[in-house]
Amino acid sequence: MLIRIITALIFLAASSVSMADLTIEINKGKDDPVPIAIVPFGWQSGLTVAEDIASIVESDLHRSGQFSPLSRSDMLGRPRNATEVYYRDWKSLGVDYVVVGTLSQEVTGTVTANYELLDVNTQRVILTGKESVSIDKPRYLAHTVSDKIYEKLTNIRGAFRTQLLYVSAVREGGNRTRFRLLKSDIDGANESVLFDSREPIMAPTWSPDGQKIAYVSFETTRPAIYIQDLRTNARTQLTSFKGLNGAPAFSPDGAKMAMVLSKDGSPDIYVMDLASGDLQRVTNHFAIDTEPAWMPDGKSIVFTSDRGGKPQIYKVNVSSGSVERVTFEGDYNARARVLADGLGLVMVHRENGNYHIAVLDLKRNRVEILTTTNLDESPSVAPNASMLLYATQYDGKGVLAAVSIDGGVKYRLPSRFGDVREPAWSPFLQ
């Protein structure tokens, strides 16, 4: 069974694809999104910015599914600040909120956005902001503005400045395939290659501070876990044990890493102290224990095991080794990822032979299916727990897709050139 699992994962990773170049296709939003207008930002004479800041903010808010931006062609004016806003014009267009702003270039080589969020119904400014970044990072500036507006209007911290990891592969002719580990903004922009190899790359994951990643590479002909520093790009091989070395997961404090090793027989969950290299065996069972994910308190780990006959989610106390079963609904539950508050988890859930993404309320022990496609896998939760990312099939190829935690918002991030797999959503980034 273990060999079948590894073979299946390699097959999924080895699809004939090229660079991902993700795009956004929104296919479901809220039934009553908030109408908002993002007016093009004015700028000082001579300022050149590579991106349309207001357009990116508009796309961010639209993609969240919570907002319905007004088309620029329908705007009756282009105010740059609150004093130039005629509320009656925007009210006649059915808009609840208006965002206005200006851009200026500083002598330090930075670009600054001064912006205001106005409530049309109360006719007042409800948010004033000033954000500055290096002039070569206009998208980061736009995502920062989006985060502030989103948080003001939803009371949920925005996650537009976060990033994604995912894996693609390129068929180079014959049986040769080149695998790439890619990083991008959450809208698919600023894509870069972090590592490429002729051997499979799997299970990318982020450190809690977002400065390092870990993943499994077969570059030495057998699976090994590597850590890569995103600031220096330096790579360190963490494991080289015989058999399976897989499913790395940083602890909440970043000091330890859970992983799956089969060096002592069947695959079990181990925890390594990253400073000392000391290894602790956490589970010890003849079944396959895999796919660890830490609970927020760092004291226990949820994992997938077939010890009951079919894959289900279990939880183990790291100190005592005591194990309890978590999922009971359905004959297949796997790849659990814990919500930030620890009150729920998302997972792959099989129903009527189809694999969907579902969320389990740990307090009520209630399972809610979030997706309707039939081959969904590898869920990864946004750090604000508002959305989750997963891999699925669409029009015969692998794509990344996202769904809100309540299932009300859905969009796809397909590649224009081929399949992508193994998504991992970053933590909040500075």
Side-chain angles (χ1 to χ4, degrees), residues 9-17 169-171 177 179 200:
L9 289 172
I10 293 175
F11 174 78
L12 287 172
S15 301
S16 177
V17 302
V170 177
R171 186 78 69 186
T177 304
F179 299 84

CSV table of all heavy atoms in Angstrom, one decimal, residues 9-17 169-171 177 179 200:
chain,number,residue,atom,x,y,z
A,9,LEU,N,1.5,9.6,-5.9
A,9,LEU,CA,1.9,11.0,-5.7
A,9,LEU,C,2.9,11.4,-6.8
A,9,LEU,O,2.8,12.5,-7.3
A,9,LEU,CB,2.6,11.1,-4.3
A,9,LEU,CG,1.6,11.1,-3.2
A,9,LEU,CD1,2.3,11.0,-1.9
A,9,LEU,CD2,0.6,12.2,-3.2
A,10,ILE,N,3.8,10.5,-7.2
A,10,ILE,CA,4.8,10.8,-8.2
A,10,ILE,C,4.0,11.0,-9.6
A,10,ILE,O,4.3,11.9,-10.3
A,10,ILE,CB,5.8,9.7,-8.3
A,10,ILE,CG1,6.7,9.7,-7.1
A,10,ILE,CG2,6.7,9.9,-9.6
A,10,ILE,CD1,7.7,8.6,-7.0
A,11,PHE,N,3.0,10.2,-9.8
A,11,PHE,CA,2.3,10.3,-11.1
A,11,PHE,C,1.6,11.7,-11.2
A,11,PHE,O,1.6,12.3,-12.2
A,11,PHE,CB,1.3,9.2,-11.2
A,11,PHE,CG,0.3,9.3,-12.3
A,11,PHE,CD1,0.8,9.0,-13.6
A,11,PHE,CD2,-0.9,9.8,-12.2
A,11,PHE,CE1,-0.1,9.1,-14.7
A,11,PHE,CE2,-1.8,10.0,-13.3
A,11,PHE,CZ,-1.3,9.6,-14.5
A,12,LEU,N,1.0,12.1,-10.0
A,12,LEU,CA,0.3,13.4,-10.0
A,12,LEU,C,1.3,14.5,-10.3
A,12,LEU,O,1.0,15.5,-10.9
A,12,LEU,CB,-0.4,13.6,-8.7
A,12,LEU,CG,-1.7,12.8,-8.5
A,12,LEU,CD1,-2.2,12.9,-7.1
A,12,LEU,CD2,-2.7,13.2,-9.5
A,13,ALA,N,2.5,14.4,-9.7
A,13,ALA,CA,3.5,15.5,-9.8
A,13,ALA,C,4.1,15.5,-11.2
A,13,ALA,O,4.6,16.5,-11.6
A,13,ALA,CB,4.6,15.3,-8.8
A,14,ALA,N,4.0,14.4,-11.9
A,14,ALA,CA,4.8,14.3,-13.2
A,14,ALA,C,4.0,14.6,-14.4
A,14,ALA,O,4.3,14.2,-15.5
A,14,ALA,CB,5.3,12.8,-13.3
A,15,SER,N,2.8,15.3,-14.2
A,15,SER,CA,2.0,15.6,-15.4
A,15,SER,C,2.8,16.5,-16.3
A,15,SER,O,3.7,17.3,-15.9
A,15,SER,CB,0.8,16.4,-14.9
A,15,SER,OG,0.0,15.6,-14.0
A,16,SER,N,2.5,16.4,-17.6
A,16,SER,CA,3.3,17.2,-18.6
A,16,SER,C,2.8,18.6,-18.6
A,16,SER,O,1.8,18.9,-19.2
A,16,SER,CB,3.1,16.5,-20.0
A,16,SER,OG,3.7,17.3,-21.0
A,17,VAL,N,3.5,19.5,-18.0
A,17,VAL,CA,3.1,20.9,-17.9
A,17,VAL,C,4.4,21.8,-18.0
A,17,VAL,O,5.5,21.3,-18.0
A,17,VAL,CB,2.5,21.2,-16.5
A,17,VAL,CG1,1.3,20.3,-16.3
A,17,VAL,CG2,3.4,21.0,-15.4
A,169,ALA,N,5.5,20.7,-13.4
A,169,ALA,CA,6.5,19.9,-14.1
A,169,ALA,C,6.5,20.2,-15.5
A,169,ALA,O,5.5,20.6,-16.1
A,169,ALA,CB,6.3,18.4,-13.8
A,170,VAL,N,7.6,20.0,-16.2
A,170,VAL,CA,7.8,20.3,-17.6
A,170,VAL,C,8.3,19.0,-18.3
A,170,VAL,O,9.4,18.5,-17.9
A,170,VAL,CB,8.7,21.4,-17.9
A,170,VAL,CG1,8.9,21.7,-19.4
A,170,VAL,CG2,8.2,22.7,-17.2
A,171,ARG,N,7.6,18.5,-19.3
A,171,ARG,CA,8.0,17.4,-20.0
A,171,ARG,C,9.0,17.9,-21.1
A,171,ARG,O,8.7,18.7,-21.9
A,171,ARG,CB,6.9,16.7,-20.8
A,171,ARG,CG,7.2,15.4,-21.5
A,171,ARG,CD,7.4,14.3,-20.5
A,171,ARG,NE,6.1,13.9,-20.0
A,171,ARG,CZ,5.9,13.0,-19.0
A,171,ARG,NH1,7.0,12.4,-18.5
A,171,ARG,NH2,4.7,12.7,-18.6
A,177,THR,N,11.5,14.6,-17.3
A,177,THR,CA,10.6,15.6,-16.8
A,177,THR,C,11.3,16.5,-15.8
A,177,THR,O,12.1,16.1,-15.0
A,177,THR,CB,9.4,15.0,-16.0
A,177,THR,OG1,8.7,14.1,-16.9
A,177,THR,CG2,8.4,16.0,-15.5
A,179,PHE,N,10.9,19.2,-12.8
A,179,PHE,CA,10.0,19.6,-11.7
A,179,PHE,C,10.4,21.0,-11.2
A,179,PHE,O,11.6,21.2,-11.0
A,179,PHE,CB,9.9,18.6,-10.6
A,179,PHE,CG,9.5,17.2,-11.1
A,179,PHE,CD1,10.4,16.3,-11.6
A,179,PHE,CD2,8.2,16.8,-11.0
A,179,PHE,CE1,10.0,15.1,-12.1
A,179,PHE,CE2,7.7,15.6,-11.4
A,179,PHE,CZ,8.6,14.7,-11.9
A,200,PRO,N,11.1,14.3,-8.7
A,200,PRO,CA,9.9,14.8,-8.2
A,200,PRO,C,10.1,15.7,-6.9
A,200,PRO,O,11.0,15.5,-6.2
A,200,PRO,CB,9.0,13.6,-7.8
A,200,PRO,CG,9.5,12.6,-8.7
A,200,PRO,CD,11.0,12.8,-8.9
